[in-house]
Each structure stands twice: as C-alpha cells, then as structure tokens.
Amino acid sequence: MQNPEITRRGLMLVLSSPSGAGKTTISRRILASDDNIDISVSVTTRSPRTGEVDGVDYHFLDRETVEAMIARGELLEHAEVHGNHYGTPKGAVEAALSDGRDILFDIDWQGTQQLSEHARSDLVSVFILPPSGAALESRLRTRAQDSDEVVQRRLAEAGNEISHYAEYDYIIVNQDIDESVARVTAILEGERSRRERQPGLGRFVRHLQDELDRAYAPDRSA
Ligand code: 5GP
C-alpha cells in the first residue's frame, strides 16, 4: 500500500491482447491480489459464454440498448470487436478514480486509443503478446468456450490486433502466466509511485520538513 497520508489519484490500467493471449487470467489474478484496483465491467452485445455472469464478466445487453447508451454519451469508449459492440460505462470509472482507486480495463486497441485521447495522463497501457501463433490457437481451442467458427475468426483477426502493440506503454510476451502477473504487478507498483499520481505529496513533504526542522534545526523553524 502507498503511504496512507498522501492522497493519490487513481490510474487507469489497460490490458489489451488478441483473444487467447492470457489477458483475462492475468486480470483476474491482479484483481484477486490487489485491494486497490477494481475492474471496469463493460457492456457487450455478445452472448454470455458458459460460466460468465451478467454484471460480473460483462453487462450483457442487446444492440438497441447499447446504441442508446452511446447516443446518450454514457460510454467512455466503445468499439465493434469480432462483430459485437463493446463499451465502457462512464459512471463506475469516474467513481473509482475520484475515490483514489485504480481501475483495470480489459479492452481492445480501439478502446485504448479513445481512452488515451481523453485521459492520457491517467492511462497506463499494457499489451500482452502470445509467445507464438500456435500457442494462441491452442489456448483458444483448449478453453473450448467458442465455436470453431468463432475461434477461426479470432485467429484471423489476431495479426491485425497485434499490429497495434507500438501504441502501448508496456509489452509483455506471455510465456509464463506467473511471470506475466508479476510483471503487470511491478508495472502497477511503479506507476503508482510516480510523483504526479500523488497530488498530496507537497503537503506531506512540508509536514515532514516542519517536523525535521523543529526537532533538528530549530533556527530554521523559528
Ligand atoms: P471477448 O468477447 O473475448 O470477451 O472480448 C473480445 C475483445 O473485446 C477483447 O479483446 C476485449 O478486450 C475487448 N473488449 C471487452 N470489453 C471491451 C470494451 O468495453 N471496449 C472495447 N473497446 N473492447 C472491449
């Protein structure tokens, strides 16, 4: 945990990757081990996969509802991915950030570009690459949650998705899940320590100086 006396500004941690590169597993591990970060639950028009829970994995909505949210300006970003609409509701993100909490986004490169236009200084973006095409295919097939046709489509789009790696701050090749989780954790800790993310620092340092001067340099404190 950061020094509790220093108020901080929440950051927006974006994880993107082609489907099957391990991003969801990494996100879950980070969320389970860190109390200061929440996940942004997206809206989607995609149907739930087995085991997915409405309101937890996504808000599963029909196209009309998502389009109405877009028209009302209720989404921070939105994109069409693999033939479905996906988007980030504004409310939860704004509440978390103003509370000094961090927020994790599992969104694609299009969403990352949109967030970066509005909130560049709060954004920390990480792109996860698979170690090989064969590994990506094998992960997509072994998770066995999508039909052959859907897997095929995702693999066909992976090459285009990874072409956006250079738009990200950090790149992780996910050879080993434990190591990748450790790397994302290290990025999060490093970014939390940035001076500009701790707006209460000036006040804290002035207190510290007063305390030191009073105790050790009384001439200066007089
Ligand atoms: P999936 O259908 O496998 O859950 O997600 C497909 C892709 O959509 C993933 O790359 C995921 O990161 C992306 N995605 C999920 N939610 C959002 C969102 O709210 N906005 C954007 N732009 N992409 C999203």
Side-chain angles (χ1 to χ4, degrees), residues 65-135:
T65 309
V66 173
E67 279 167 1
M69 292 177 86
I70 295 170
R72 288 196 298 266
E74 291 172 11
L75 300 181
L76 212 50
E77 61 75 35
H78 60 90
E80 180 106 16
V81 190
H82 310 309
N84 288 298
H85 265 331
Y86 292 82
T88 302
K90 270 185 188 163
V93 174
E94 283 166 1
L97 292 179
S98 65
D99 219 23
R101 295 180 60 72
D102 300 324
I103 189 138
L104 190 151
F105 299 82
D106 171 340
I107 60 174
D108 84 326
W109 61 270
Q110 304 173 83
T112 310
Q113 283 184 350
Q114 292 170 47
L115 287 191
S116 123
E117 278 160 25
H118 300 299
R120 185 64 196 101
S121 59
D122 291 334
L123 201 72
V124 177
S125 60
V126 182
F127 200 87
I128 317 281
L129 288 169
S132 67

Side-chain angles (χ1 to χ4, degrees), residues 19-206:
S19 304
K23 170 189 49 176
T24 306
T25 312
I26 295 171
S27 307
R28 288 197 181 132
R29 296 263 301 265
I30 300 284
L31 291 166
S33 65
D34 190 316
D35 285 344
N36 269 308
I37 192 160
D38 299 328
I39 182 114
S40 158
V41 180
S42 297
V43 298
T44 183
T45 57
R46 161 167 89 58
S47 317
R49 296 188 183 117
T50 315
E52 282 185 332
V53 178
D54 188 29
V56 175
D57 297 288
Y58 281 104
H59 300 289
F60 295 99
L61 302 173
D62 58 32
R63 192 165 273 263
E64 209 175 43
T65 309
V66 173
E67 279 167 1
M69 292 177 86
I70 295 170
R72 288 196 298 266
E74 291 172 11
L75 300 181
L76 212 50
E77 61 75 35
H78 60 90
E80 180 106 16
V81 190
H82 310 309
N84 288 298
H85 265 331
Y86 292 82
T88 302
K90 270 185 188 163
V93 174
E94 283 166 1
L97 292 179
S98 65
D99 219 23
R101 295 180 60 72
D102 300 324
I103 189 138
L104 190 151
F105 299 82
D106 171 340
I107 60 174
D108 84 326
W109 61 270
Q110 304 173 83
T112 310
Q113 283 184 350
Q114 292 170 47
L115 287 191
S116 123
E117 278 160 25
H118 300 299
R120 185 64 196 101
S121 59
D122 291 334
L123 201 72
V124 177
S125 60
V126 182
F127 200 87
I128 317 281
L129 288 169
S132 67
L136 190 68
E137 175 169 9
S138 137
R139 284 187 198 159
L140 276 175
R141 296 209 186 278
T142 51
R143 86 178 175 193
Q145 284 172 326
D146 293 309
S147 65
D148 266 4
E149 190 195 331
V150 168
V151 168
Q152 191 53 45
R153 176 170 188 172
R154 288 177 175 233
L155 287 168
E157 286 172 24
N160 177 43
E161 286 173 345
I162 65 174
S163 72
H164 291 277
Y165 78 95
E167 295 158 25
Y168 286 73
D169 299 321
Y170 297 93
I171 311 295
I172 292 176
V173 178
N174 185 20
Q175 288 275 5
D176 174 83
I177 194 77
D178 290 337
E179 195 191 316
S180 300
V181 171
R183 280 177 191 255
V184 176
T185 305
I187 290 167
L188 192 53
E189 287 307 327
E191 290 286 343
R192 280 173 173 164
S193 303
R194 291 185 78 102
R195 178 170 30 83
E196 60 274 23
R197 296 226 162 81
Q198 303 180 70
L201 210 48
R203 215 178 109 240
F204 175 76
V205 170
R206 277 193 301 279

